[in-house]
Amino acid sequence: MTLLHDSPTAVHERLMAEHSAHNYHPLPVVIADGQGVWVTDVEGRRYLDFLAGYSALNFGHRHPVLTAAAHRQLDRVTLTSRAFGNDQLGPFCTELAALLGKERVLPMNTGAEAVESGLKVARKWGYDVKGVPADRARIVVAAEAFHGRTISVVSFSTDPEARGGFGPFTPGFDVVPYGDAAALRAAITPETVAVLLEPVQGEAGVIVPPPGYLAAVREICTASNVLYVSDEVQAGLGRTGHVLATRAAGVDADVYLLGKALGAGIVPVSAVVADSDVLGVLKPGQHGSTFGGNPLACAVGRAVVALLAEGSLLEHTRAMGEVLHEGLRELLGHGTTAVRGVGLWAGVDVDPELGTGREVCERLAALGVLAKDTHGPTVRLSPPLVITEPELHTALTALRHALRS
Ligand SMILES: *Cc1c(COP(=O)(O)O)cnc(C)c1O
């Protein structure tokens, strides 16, 4: 029932409350349009978007080069299925593989599907190449990780909310503390086929591992003939100021999982990227997706790859990241108990005396900056990479105020 005096926000909130599944707890902001770093809500209020679709909007809302690529493809052909070829798929796989210095791409749609596909490839590689006995493959993962919401992925989650009520769970996973190379080494058995890790744990609160950890992971995987699978769904494609956060640490994984920004916030596009000796284990009929590798997704993905390959946005991200982290360091002890991150990506732990992360995000929204709490006291900041220095200072000023009230 709509009352005459209801605000547009209240009308939309009631529709969502009554008819959408309540699997999220959004801030009371209903967005009507977006451009670059900015969004406008149904009341006409403008906000700086400091979540950027959890990094799906690394290039901002409606980046003109990316929407142009989508528009061009919309006017040609959008879906063929993989029963036939399409003239965007080959170029997309070739260009993305070249950007990452790998040989092959398996295109999927969502991040969780890329993770599921990566796990399937790792298990199959374990049986076909490594020679693990049938149905015995094990995969080592990290505590506090986030890899998506499917049954198999929540099967190895350590978040009680993500798991609770969703069993029975998929077996075959061993969980070790993140950042602890000795624990990882101890968890490897002759039946281990892969280690799956985020190079920076995003949902856990933008946790950057200790120096040398990723190199140790590489060394352990190589020594034990285990695939190193790096989930760069959130960390990859520019967020840290690099195409790959793993490579920025001087390390090369065997398998990269990409998603989020690969579709530029326009369409869901994800991918598993690896060399032929790994992705070659998949034969016709053994894996697939109706929408994976569709021409619209590939056209957008190609434009994203070209934008990243050009390089200036990565350079800009590194420079703006320094401004962000310098500003955040000044907040340490002033309403925060810890600040950390890399590139245009930060976790800010709110001093509990000042309220929860959620409360600070509500104050930030009232001040014109949209961010989202993760794990209680932590506010995650991840603006579009196209943000300018004055916009960054505007947001830092708002954060200073939000941490004062
Ligand atoms: C978001 C995310 C996923 C899941 O992606 P969806 O598109 O939401 O399925 C997987 N891994 C990481 C690291 C993520 O941040």
Side-chain angles (χ1 to χ4, degrees):
M1 190 176 68
T2 303
L3 301 176
L4 280 175
H5 59 266
D6 277 351
S7 69
T9 302
V11 171
H12 285 281
E13 287 196 316
R14 185 172 313 110
L15 292 177
M16 291 187 286
E18 289 177 2
H19 300 293
S20 80
H22 292 186
N23 55 330
Y24 278 89
H25 180 33
L27 292 173
V29 174
V30 179
I31 294 167
D33 61 68
Q35 180 63 61
V37 185
W38 295 87
V39 293
T40 307
D41 75 4
V42 287
E43 319 278 345
R45 289 181 295 233
R46 293 180 82 222
Y47 305 84
L48 278 167
D49 182 355
F50 259 65
L51 181 62
Y54 298 95
S55 286
L57 290 156
N58 275 1
F59 315 106
H61 294 269
R62 298 194 293 125
H63 188 294
V65 171
L66 303 177
T67 53
H71 281 294
R72 273 197 307 276
Q73 193 59 41
L74 272 173
D75 289 335
R76 294 181 57 231
V77 65
T78 53
L79 186 72
T80 56
S81 90
R82 294 291 304 275
F84 318 109
N86 74 70
D87 68 3
Q88 297 300 306
L89 179 62
F92 169 63
C93 294
T94 305
E95 290 154 16
L96 179 58
L99 182 74
L100 268 59
K102 294 284 187 197
E103 292 169 351
R104 281 179 199 279
V105 171
L106 167 64
M108 298 295 290
N109 310 285
T110 65
E113 281 178 310
V115 175
E116 285 276 342
S117 305
L119 298 175
K120 286 176 73 177
V121 167
R123 282 182 169 185
K124 193 130 197 328
W125 175 88
Y127 302 127
D128 292 1
V129 179
K130 183 168 176 172
V132 170
D135 296 340
R136 298 293 294 271
R138 303 200 66 80
I139 294 174
V140 180
V141 297
E144 315 300 328
F146 183 84
H147 298 286
R149 300 293 195 167
T150 61
I151 297 250
S152 288
V153 171
V154 301
S155 291
F156 55 85
S157 172
T158 54
D159 176 356
E161 268 189 338
R163 283 170 63 88
F166 297 120
F169 297 114
T170 306
F173 298 98
D174 298 301
V175 184
V176 296
Y178 188 67
D180 182 342
L184 174 64
R185 197 185 306 271
I188 306 278
T189 73
E191 292 171 350
T192 305
V193 297
V195 172
L196 169 68
L197 292 173
E198 295 160 273
V200 173
Q201 287 194 321
E203 299 307 301
V206 193
I207 308 297
V208 181
Y213 177 63
L214 300 185
V217 172
R218 175 71 275 175
E219 181 258 310
I220 292 164
C221 287
T222 303
S224 324
N225 193 25
V226 162
L227 295 178
Y228 178 3
V229 182
S230 189
D231 182 348
E232 296 243 11
V233 169
Q234 193 167 163
L237 306 180
R239 179 52 54 196
T240 68
H242 302 274
V243 170
L244 294 168
T246 315
R247 288 269 177 75
V251 172
D252 189 23
D254 300 300
V255 179
Y256 290 106
L257 309 177
L258 300 176
K260 293 197 168 107
L262 192 55
I266 299 172
V267 280
V269 187
S270 68
V272 180
V273 185
D275 280 337
S276 302
D277 56 345
V278 177
L279 265 182
V281 300
L282 290 182
K283 300 287 184 288
Q286 295 176 343
H287 189 61
S289 161
T290 302
F291 287 93
N294 72 76
L296 180 59
C298 289
V300 171
R302 290 181 70 190
V304 165
V305 168
L307 198 66
L308 286 166
E310 188 270 327
S312 61
L313 186 63
L314 297 172
E315 201 178 303
H316 175 75
T317 302
R318 295 193 291 270
M320 291 303 102
E322 279 176 30
V323 174
L324 173 66
H325 294 291
E326 195 183 298
L328 292 178
R329 273 194 295 275
E330 287 168 14
L331 292 176
L332 194 54
H334 302 275
T336 72
T337 56
V339 298
R340 62 185 163 270
V342 56
L344 275 172
W345 206 13
V348 175
D349 291 350
V350 174
D351 185 339
E353 308 247 305
L354 285 176
T356 61
R358 167 96 190 177
E359 284 161 345
V360 168
C361 287
E362 285 168 357
R363 286 178 218 151
L364 268 176
L367 292 164
V369 176
L370 297 183
K372 192 70 175 68
D373 53 300
T374 175
H375 285 232
T378 305
V379 174
R380 171 236 318 268
L381 303 175
S382 56
L385 311 180
V386 293
I387 195 165
T388 63
E389 189 163 345
E391 288 166 338
L392 210 41
H393 285 298
T394 300
L396 283 166
T397 302
L399 184 59
R400 213 171 294 126
H401 285 291
L403 289 168
R404 216 179 272 147
S405 9

